[in-house]
Amino acid sequence: MTGNSQDAQPKPGRLPALLIDAATEAISTAGGHAGGVYLRSSTPGLLRLAVLCGLPGPLFRPWWQLHADSPFPVADAHRLGVQVVLPNATETMRRYPQFAAGLPFQFGSLYMPVVAGSEAYGVLTVLRPAVPDAAEVLPELDRLTRLAQDLGAALRNLDEEATPVAWNQEPLCVRPPPARPPLARIGRFVWSPETGLVTGDDGLHALLGVPPTEFTGAVEAFADAVSPSERDRILVALRDTAVGRPPTLPLSLRAADGELRLMDLWSPYGGIGWAPHATTAPTDVPSGAGPVRGIVLDPGLRATADAAADLLPDGVFCLDREGLVVYANPRAAQLLRRPRTELLGRALWDAVPWLGKPDIEDHLRGALLSPDPVYFHAERPAVSATEPVQQPSEGDWLALAVHPGPDRLTCTVRPASRVTDTAPADLAPGNGLTAPAPVYRPIVLAIALTEAVTARQVSAVVMRELLPAFGCRRLAIYLLQDRHLHLAWESGFPPGFLAPFDGVGLDARLPGVETLTTGRPLFFDSMKQLAAAYPGIQLDATEGARAFLPLIASGRSVGSCILGFDRSRSFSTEERTVLTALAGLIAHAMEKARRYETEAALARGLQQALLPRRLSAHPQVETAGRYLPGTQGMEVGGDWYDVVEAGDGLALVIGDVQGHGVQAAATMGQLRSAVRAFALGDRPPDEVMSGTNRLLIDLDPGLFASCCYVRLDPATGVALAARAGHPQPLLRRPDGRTHVLDLPGGVVLGVDPRARYPVTELRMEPGAILALYTDGLVEKPGGDIDDGISALRVALAKAGAPAVRPGGRALAGVADRLTAAARHAVDRPDDIALLLATRRIAG
């Protein structure tokens, strides 16, 4: 990654413009209704959503950032550098169940890696209507590939200008290109703080009714033309945006004739419509600020709000794809208990806060992502004495229907008690299915936890999935052992703060202990409330809420989980219920991880017992072996190597039993014993292979194995080799020339009782190195094994000739260099075994 500073910001002006242009063009190219760009951040391994086009940012906050190793299509496209095509929901669920559980709607999606050379910058993504199979989007893929390549080249140019390409802030939320000629009118402009002048396009002049010849360009005159009554508000917004403090956008304004107008603003230092803080007007705009770009939008309400819609007996309102209310008839305003003036131009969840519940947000996500209507019920809160409502007696429940369109959502609303409620029968009142709870978050966490097998992996999943969903900043997980709580994971707390609480007994009066001993979750809205409940407790912050959750699995105490929030807040009944349920999932995963780690320790012990503690030695031969377990599953497998005395020579053996786990390790032990027995009897290599093959078939473990057996005469350097389906050995000559040997071989062991294994003679000069290895060292997911063997050959050639004088041990250094990359790799899908041998040079 280029740049490591957490404070690295995108290059002023150019980076946002590049990303916005790429996202909007991608949507048009792929026939999508939404899309965006993920970029790498200054945090290693973390991708951030830089641009979101065509969807309301707040509704998709859980997807604003993700880890590059998470099981999501964006992560795979970035990490592997491949395009990911998900034509429909069925394919999405098959390949990415965790992603599909979070967004269980009928849509397709495309993901194109944005790369330039060896630099991976991010991913260009498009959400589009579902199609039966991927073949139907092949033409769009070619164009998207070129678009992603062009974006990658442009980002590399920014990198070469010594500006880090990384995204460390919230996404820019922009409107998509319209699917058809819009009823709305739009004008674009640029304001230069240095000159104070505004320049606009033809659309702006037409919208404002001011010909270019009569437009002075003065910012004050521009503000007057947009909204005379809110001139000062526009000027303040422009100045604040120029210095990187944009107001909450878009601005909802009234033209001189009273019609609604919307204004979006963005600058090199800020986003579009996402800054949450209030604004105060600076006395001056600093030098170098801006320019500020923006649009003025007339939503075309005259065409939408016709007399017929206004007179309908049911409520009707329209949302654009940013979630803004662009039309509401009088009946909708009455039922939603908000004047039309407070609805228009505002996000629905801001204008009507009680519609901002998680289950309703999930329904709105469904309407935005899939073509089918969405029906649900919503409970209105009790009417306050000051609320401007004319008919508060119509009941507490409303039936809503949301009908998706290419550019807008049309919503109907009516009292749920009415007979004319024509939503589908399964949503009728009284059937128990109204307004289902938002279960998608527990489902996502549950799916992710199924893939975690160690306590550390469980903790990492909790941090990745749970914290963003609830806005947590701190996490601590304690596990119970010998009636004491021991810290297993922490994130976000000040360094060393949790150390005094590590190993506390169950008699300590601490919230993390009491939540476990009582089995009751504890919620504190503020640090003041926590301090009052536990006088004298050490606090890590001056403010913020805390949740202490018991980890109990099947009635057994596992530990406790602490969630920390940066700000004071209250916990709704729904949140408390969901967090408590999630704690149960975490507890079961931790209990499973404990059992796994115990079993894995036993398996590793078995494997270590089966591998040779030392290799048979000979004064004229030096050997070195290395074994690395895979990092998936139980980290034990069937790879082995051995050096055995065979008459007056040495037998060099390497093998690989199919699969992983205790069965593979046990089979490996049986084969190793058999090969040793044959070798100690100084049987020819072909007989060793044939005898071991018959033994494996008689054992019938349901597994097969590959093997390579070399009988070396140290005095002459003559070696006889037989191979059973194993990768070809390498031979490095004393002058550095390294070759892949071409040994004819037979099929793998355990398949054909009549298999034959031809013997090949070769000669090892003093100082030459013979390398035997298993496929885990040379085979990578998605790669060609021949490429891996070629890379190992080059590495052996560059490793240098060891000091093979009598008593020398330099061959161990060569083995370490050949396995260094694999040793430091986080992900090793397969076991690795390596055996090196060299004839010593007489001293």
Side-chain angles (χ1 to χ4, degrees):
M1 176 180 294
T2 304
N4 295 313
S5 171
Q6 287 287 344
D7 297 323
Q9 296 298 321
K11 185 174 180 63
R14 294 177 59 190
L15 179 55
L18 283 172
L19 301 179
I20 292 170
D21 289 347
T24 53
E25 186 174 346
I27 293 173
S28 296
T29 296
H33 48 244
V37 182
Y38 279 86
L39 279 189
R40 64 190 187 184
S41 70
S42 294
T43 302
L46 184 67
L47 297 174
R48 288 184 180 272
L49 182 61
V51 168
L52 178 61
C53 184
L55 294 173
L59 287 189
F60 292 84
R61 183 179 292 272
W63 295 271
W64 281 9
Q65 64 182 38
L66 54 86
H67 288 266
D69 60 351
S70 59
F72 283 83
V74 168
D76 278 359
H78 178 71
R79 187 180 66 257
L80 304 176
V82 298
Q83 58 181 229
V84 178
V85 180
L86 303 175
N88 49 54
T90 301
E91 183 69 6
T92 303
M93 175 60 77
R94 185 184 71 80
R95 295 177 58 186
Y96 297 96
Q98 189 173 332
F99 174 60
L103 292 171
F105 311 116
Q106 293 295 324
F107 68 95
S109 52
L110 311 172
Y111 306 85
M112 312 300 297
V114 178
V115 299
S118 61
E119 288 291 330
Y121 292 104
V123 177
L124 179 65
T125 179
V126 177
L127 309 184
R128 65 183 315 281
V131 293
D133 57 64
E136 296 193 26
V137 297
L138 290 180
E140 291 89 341
L141 286 179
D142 291 339
R143 296 192 293 270
L144 282 177
T145 299
R146 291 192 294 270
L147 184 59
Q149 291 171 345
D150 291 344
L151 178 59
L155 296 180
R156 179 172 58 184
N157 290 338
L158 292 186
D159 255 347
E160 292 173 349
E161 295 172 9
T163 299
V165 174
W167 197 268
N168 300 302
Q169 54 192 14
E170 295 180 355
L172 308 180
C173 298
V174 298
R175 286 180 173 77
R180 59 192 177 206
L183 295 173
R185 295 181 296 161
I186 188 170
R188 294 173 173 81
F189 66 90
V190 179
W191 173 57
S192 170
E194 293 185 359
T195 64
L197 296 179
V198 173
T199 56
D201 64 3
D202 292 340
L204 180 72
H205 294 294
L207 189 152
L208 299 181
V210 181
T213 55
E214 299 178 12
F215 186 62
T216 65
V219 67
E220 294 82 2
F222 164 74
D224 267 334
V226 174
S227 178
S229 63
E230 299 186 83
R231 171 181 180 271
D232 292 340
R233 183 178 169 214
I234 295 172
L235 295 176
V236 168
L238 287 168
R239 292 167 184 165
D240 281 356
T241 303
V243 296
R245 294 187 291 111
T248 300
L249 296 172
L251 299 179
S252 178
L253 307 167
R254 291 291 168 184
D257 59 4
E259 290 297 326
L260 175 69
R261 282 178 179 170
L262 302 176
M263 178 181 288
D264 266 348
L265 303 171
W266 64 95
S267 78
Y269 306 101
I272 302 177
W274 52 262
H277 44 67
T279 304
T280 56
T283 57
D284 193 14
V285 179
S287 175
V292 174
R293 300 177 182 275
I295 62 171
V296 179
L297 175 71
D298 175 358
L301 298 186
R302 290 186 182 88
T304 306
D306 54 58
D310 276 354
L311 295 176
L312 284 175
D314 290 327
V316 177
F317 61 95
C318 297
L319 308 176
D320 70 4
R321 295 199 65 84
E322 293 294 290
L324 300 181
V325 181
V326 295
Y327 167 71
N329 72 356
R331 182 59 170 156
Q334 184 185 65
L335 291 173
L336 297 177
R337 295 176 178 170
R338 285 293 182 272
R340 294 174 73 180
T341 54
E342 294 184 12
L343 289 171
L344 298 178
R346 297 182 63 189
L348 178 63
W349 42 89
D350 291 335
V352 190
W354 49 270
L355 286 178
K357 296 179 179 179
D359 57 324
I360 295 176
E361 291 181 348
D362 203 32
H363 288 306
L364 292 175
R365 278 191 285 267
L368 286 161
L369 293 176
S370 58
D372 300 323
V374 174
Y375 303 92
F376 60 95
H377 286 67
E379 184 179 12
R380 292 187 299 189
V383 181
S384 65
T386 59
E387 195 168 5
V389 57
Q390 298 177 13
Q391 297 182 10
S393 60
E394 288 192 322
D396 294 329
W397 288 86
L398 298 176
L400 292 98
V402 184
H403 300 267
D407 300 312
R408 292 184 180 179
L409 306 180
T410 300
C411 313
T412 63
V413 55
R414 52 176 72 95
S417 58
R418 290 183 51 180
V419 178
T420 54
D421 220 22
T422 55
D426 61 326
L427 287 178
N431 64 4
L433 292 177
T434 57
V439 298
Y440 64 91
R441 183 53 55 183
I443 291 174
V444 169
L445 182 62
I447 293 174
L449 288 174
T450 62
E451 302 176 0
V453 294
T454 68
R456 185 172 184 83
Q457 289 173 345
V458 170
S459 302
V461 167
V462 173
M463 184 181 70
R464 187 176 68 229
E465 301 296 338
L466 186 61
L467 268 62
F470 290 89
C472 308
R473 299 294 184 183
R474 294 172 171 85
L475 169 69
I477 294 179
Y478 287 84
L479 297 182
L480 180 64
Q481 184 177 0
D482 298 328
R483 295 187 59 78
H484 289 76
L485 285 174
H486 297 275
L487 184 63
W489 181 277
E490 66 170 304
S491 175
F493 286 92
F497 170 75
L498 295 177
F501 304 103
D502 191 11
V504 298
L506 296 186
D507 57 348
R509 190 174 185 276
L510 293 169
V513 173
E514 292 194 11
T515 190
L516 180 62
T517 56
T518 64
R520 293 185 294 104
L522 302 175
F523 297 93
F524 300 95
D525 296 351
S526 65
M527 299 301 281
K528 181 179 179 181
Q529 191 180 90
L530 175 60
Y534 295 88
I537 189 173
Q538 184 178 352
L539 303 178
D540 63 299
T542 56
E543 63 175 344
R546 292 290 181 272
F548 297 84
L549 308 173
L551 301 182
I552 300 175
S554 303
R556 298 183 49 167
S557 299
V558 177
S560 58
C561 175
I562 304 172
L563 301 178
F565 302 81
D566 283 347
R567 298 176 182 173
S568 300
R569 53 158 296 174
S570 60
F571 295 88
S572 67
T573 301
E574 184 179 42
E575 285 179 314
R576 292 174 185 238
T577 301
V578 172
L579 284 172
T580 303
L582 294 178
L585 292 176
I586 297 168
H588 280 282
M590 281 294 184
E591 186 73 1
K592 182 187 71 174
R594 278 184 168 181
R595 291 195 300 270
Y596 165 83
E597 288 173 344
T598 300
E599 294 170 2
L602 292 174
R604 283 193 293 269
L606 170 64
Q607 188 179 41
Q608 290 300 321
L610 294 174
L611 289 172
R613 292 184 177 274
R614 63 180 182 83
L615 300 177
S616 296
H618 191 284
Q620 291 179 273
V621 177
E622 180 185 352
T623 58
R626 294 293 182 268
Y627 174 79
L628 299 174
T631 58
Q632 299 177 359
M634 297 190 69
E635 299 185 5
V636 292
D639 290 20
W640 91 93
Y641 61 86
D642 209 348
V643 178
V644 188
E645 294 180 6
D648 56 357
L650 285 180
L652 310 173
V653 189
I654 197 161
D656 181 1
V657 177
Q658 167 208 14
H660 300 84
V662 176
Q663 179 63 52
T667 302
M668 174 267 285
Q670 293 171 309
L671 294 186
R672 175 174 175 262
S673 297
V675 172
R676 285 186 67 87
F678 288 129
L680 288 170
D682 200 16
R683 304 279 290 275
D686 57 334
E687 293 186 20
V688 174
M689 289 288 96
S690 297
T692 307
N693 177 49
R694 288 191 294 270
L695 172 66
L696 183 58
I697 292 174
D698 290 341
L699 291 172
D700 192 22
L703 302 175
F704 58 82
S706 67
C707 185
C708 187
Y709 182 95
V710 180
R711 199 272 188 194
L712 173 65
D713 183 342
T716 64
V718 173
L720 300 176
R723 191 172 62 87
H726 202 80
Q728 296 281 7
L730 302 180
L731 181 63
R732 184 188 191 278
R733 302 190 183 281
D735 60 4
R737 291 179 297 132
T738 305
H739 307 281
V740 179
L741 298 179
D742 185 14
L743 305 181
V747 299
V748 291
L749 306 175
V751 175
D752 181 3
R754 297 182 300 276
R756 296 290 179 263
Y757 300 93
V759 176
T760 302
E761 180 179 314
L762 56 101
R763 183 175 299 276
M764 286 182 61
E765 305 169 76
I769 300 175
L770 180 67
L772 308 178
Y773 53 91
T774 58
D775 57 8
L777 185 60
V778 294
E779 192 169 28
K780 301 295 184 294
D784 191 319
I785 190 171
D786 291 336
D787 294 337
I789 293 174
S790 297
L792 180 62
R793 180 186 62 79
V794 172
L796 180 60
K798 294 180 178 178
V804 288
R805 300 287 176 182
R809 302 291 298 168
L811 199 60
V814 176
D816 287 338
R817 287 193 288 277
L818 295 182
T819 57
R823 214 170 38 245
H824 293 99
V826 176
D827 185 16
R828 284 194 302 273
D830 199 0
D831 306 340
I832 292 173
L834 173 70
L835 178 62
L836 302 180
T838 185
R839 291 179 64 209
R840 299 186 190 277
I841 301 173

